[in-house]
Amino acid sequence: MSSSESTYETCLKSLAVNGNEEAPSTDALLQCITTTFDAQINNTNDSIDAFFLLYAASLVFFMQAGFAMLCAGCVRINNVQNTLLKNMLDACGASLGFYTVGYAFAFGGSFDDEYGKSFIGSENFFLMGVENDSFWLFQFAFCATSATIVAGTLAERCQMTAYLAYSIMLSAFVYPVVVRSIWSKSGFLSAVAADPLWGVGMVDFAGSTVVHITGGMTALIATMILGPRTGRFYDLRGKPLAEPKEMPGHSLSLQCLGTFILWFGWYGFNSGSIISLSIQDNYLVLSHTAVNTTLSAAAGCIAALFLSTIISERFTGEISFNLQYAMNGCLSGLVSVTASCSVVTSWAAIIIGFLGGMLYIGVSKLLVKRRIDDAVDAVPVHLASGIWGSIAAGLFATPKWMEQVYDNPEAGLFYGGGHLLACQSVGVLFVIAWVVAIMTPFFWALHYFGFLRADSLEEVVGLDIGYMGG
């Protein structure tokens, strides 16, 4: 149909071409007009959904810039270039791994109703047979986020080869299996499966479990095998220091910029997970998700800031406000609400974020006490808050929003339900066990063959000199 031709005129010509010598009947004409309008509406809806996914994917991918700025600000100045390059390698490795086999393992065949449940996909390798490329791009952005979580934890002491190797391993195999289990219609934990676990399945709307526990658990395994930075917890002779040596990053400004970029990108992360705007009343879920994301981030920031201030006052007698704790508390609030942002009320989102911020402070100090070196506090932010956020969905999910989002009125424990909390717990345990089973021998092998830790001299002078030429 030409742009200057009306639908009525097009249908008249179409019916005439089909051999009707007389004027078409009213019923035939109405049928033609209705069919044409339906096709136009479907095309418009598909176009809106595709644009929405591309827009959300852009926001999520922009979070890579946030991670890069945050990591660059957290390291010492002689490691900045190396850290930025490793963040870029994470995104590049994730794109190649998710394109070749990762997407197929995660979603291959799952859009076929007759495919059934499976542990791993076996179709759509290299995107063969995939029609909706915008969905791939959106899912890739999530995959890259999970891989980038690990980068900051290993900063200042990890070889370049190891970064690229784990990025590909995580994005091509480990992460896709988690995605299939929880987000795919073929997953045994999926809330959108035809027969979900215990009648409800696991609710992880935007990835507290899928993205953050996977990335956070990988980071914990990697840093425990890699060991702390030289001089952080032990002297040059290997004897434990009485007090851990502080190794502050060179720029709080970059850290703050990175935090705001991540918060901004999180609106695509959480709200974009609605996937389709054309479904009736999904715009309400979209708006509700964005509000909950905002409130939880704010509550996490305030909780971490004031808890750290109270602890500082009790131990030093002086009141001091720590910007780094506030920023990471904000991120913890965001991670905490990611699983449940679409199915909880706004007051519950505040509670979830507030407790997430407090949990971050406790786990951060626990890691230092256990002499586990996390340069950017990725483990407490992503792993601890991811676990809490996944469990929180099983506590605070409301019947109203569960019905709206998942077409299932099964609610959280505080609303009389118990099956959802059980599914959340099983999902968390499964992801932790899966990551430990695969990534522990992987990092151990890298360490054993000398591909994991940088040379001690290069570590002391800075990896920018050792790897980047200055």
Side-chain angles (χ1 to χ4, degrees), residues 192-436:
V192 296
D195 55 337
L197 180 66
W198 295 322
V200 60
M202 183 179 188
V203 171
D204 188 22
F205 185 72
S208 286
T209 304
V210 173
V211 177
H212 298 285
I213 292 182
T214 301
M217 194 67 219
T218 302
L220 178 60
I221 294 167
T223 192
M224 292 181 70
I225 294 176
L226 180 64
R229 287 167 287 180
T230 300
R232 177 74 167 104
F233 296 118
Y234 303 92
D235 61 21
L236 296 179
R237 296 181 178 180
K239 294 183 179 180
L241 299 173
E243 291 292 334
K245 180 182 177 181
E246 296 293 334
M247 294 184 173
H250 82 285
S251 175
L252 281 172
S253 299
L254 285 179
Q255 294 178 50
C256 193
L257 174 62
T259 300
F260 274 114
I261 291 175
L262 288 172
W263 190 346
F264 175 73
W266 229 286
Y267 291 112
F269 203 89
N270 286 359
S271 298
S273 293
I274 198 67
I275 302 298
S276 174
L277 278 179
S278 60
I279 298 176
Q280 185 176 3
D281 293 336
N282 261 11
Y283 73 95
L284 297 174
V285 180
L286 181 76
S287 304
H288 182 69
T289 297
V291 170
N292 284 348
T293 300
T294 304
L295 295 175
S296 187
C301 175
I302 293 173
L305 176 63
F306 281 96
L307 180 59
S308 65
T309 301
I310 292 171
I311 293 174
S312 175
E313 192 277 332
R314 292 296 300 271
F315 281 91
T316 65
E318 297 181 0
I319 295 178
S320 62
F321 297 98
N322 190 304
L323 174 60
Q324 196 163 17
Y325 281 146
M327 293 185 294
N328 284 335
C330 173
L331 298 179
S332 295
L334 289 166
V335 173
S336 297
V337 82
T338 295
S340 60
C341 52
S342 63
V343 296
V344 299
T345 58
S346 296
W347 63 264
I350 294 174
I351 294 175
I352 291 170
F354 192 87
L355 294 178
M358 296 179 69
L359 179 65
Y360 154 71
I361 295 293
V363 175
S364 177
K365 293 187 176 299
L366 177 63
L367 290 183
V368 174
K369 185 176 181 180
R370 301 300 302 173
R371 301 181 184 275
I372 298 174
D373 190 13
D374 185 351
V376 298
D377 266 351
V379 173
V381 168
H382 297 280
L383 177 59
S385 298
I387 293 173
W388 157 239
S390 302
I391 298 300
L395 300 175
F396 293 100
T398 67
K400 171 190 172 182
W401 289 109
M402 283 291 294
E403 179 74 32
Q404 175 67 44
V405 178
Y406 292 100
D407 197 25
N408 190 332
E410 181 75 31
L413 186 65
F414 294 158
Y415 292 87
H419 291 160
L420 179 57
L421 180 59
C423 290
Q424 301 300 109
S425 302
V426 170
V428 168
L429 293 175
F430 163 73
V431 173
I432 291 175
W434 169 248
V435 175
V436 169

Side-chain angles (χ1 to χ4, degrees), residues 106-123:
F107 293 102
S110 63
F111 296 101
D112 184 352
D113 294 335
E114 297 180 359
Y115 196 84
K117 291 186 179 181
S118 60
F119 183 73
I120 195 168
S122 57
E123 299 179 9

